[in-house]
Amino acid sequence: MLTTLPNLLNSKNQLKALLETALKAEGEIDRSAASDAVYDWIDQLHQQLTSDHLAFSRLQLENEELEVELADTRDWEVEEKNYTLHRLKTGSYVYCRVTPTHNAISDYYLCATCFMNKVKSILQPVHKAFECHVCNSSIQGLPLPKPTIEML
Ligand SMILES: [Zn+2]
């Protein structure tokens, strides 16, 4: 856990008390005990700063990953508007690229399952079906006709 401001203030007050005790110490034994207490405090502070540094580094890395994920999500939100769900004559559903006027412009279909997972996977025709090479799903379909859009 990262050091909080109240913890820092408490830590400063502990150091101040330790130093005051060390300055008032009389005799070798008292000075040695006070000195040991200050060194222990410094050692604990060093450990806390090291821990804070590691936690901060992890948070920085996580933040960078989240920024990339956010940018990808924003890109996907723009890209997915170029596609619409399309029902094949067999009743299977695929995604198809469209123009703003909803006229089909692509001669390929995308896997609906992958599309919902934000992956564009072009379905490959195999006999009278389409196969997705990403999720290995098989979709009943006929050979690719000129796509027509049936708005859902
Ligand atoms: Zn797929």
Side-chain angles (χ1 to χ4, degrees), residues 87-93 128 139-142:
R87 188 175 58 142
L88 300 174
K89 290 180 181 176
T90 58
S92 299
Y93 288 91
K128 291 189 175 185
I139 296 149
Q140 292 291 320
L142 301 172

Side-chain angles (χ1 to χ4, degrees), residues 80-88 91-98 102 109-113 115-116 148-152:
E80 75 175 335
K81 291 177 183 167
N82 295 321
Y83 294 87
T84 189
L85 192 61
H86 175 66
R87 188 175 58 142
L88 300 174
S92 299
Y93 288 91
V94 294
Y95 273 86
C96 184
R97 188 171 174 83
V98 293
H102 298 290
Y109 296 133
L110 298 180
C111 171
T113 301
F115 194 85
M116 290 181 189
T148 57
I149 297 302
E150 184 175 316
M151 296 304 294
L152 300 174

Side-chain angles (χ1 to χ4, degrees), residues 40 116 132:
D40 286 346
M116 290 181 189
C132 175

Side-chain angles (χ1 to χ4, degrees), residues 36-74:
D36 286 348
V38 170
Y39 285 125
D40 286 346
W41 181 91
I42 290 171
D43 187 48
Q44 288 174 6
L45 180 64
H46 180 258
Q47 289 176 16
Q48 183 62 47
L49 288 174
T50 301
S51 173
D52 285 355
H53 177 74
L54 290 173
F56 182 76
S57 295
R58 280 193 299 271
L59 289 172
Q60 240 180 346
L61 186 62
E62 186 179 314
N63 186 51
E64 289 170 9
E65 290 170 357
L66 289 172
E67 284 178 357
V68 168
E69 191 176 316
L70 179 61
D72 289 348
T73 297
R74 287 180 176 154

Side-chain angles (χ1 to χ4, degrees), residues 111-115 121 123 132-137 139:
C111 171
T113 301
C114 288
F115 194 85
S121 173
L123 294 170
C132 175
H133 292 176
V134 174
C135 70
N136 295 320
S137 64
I139 296 149

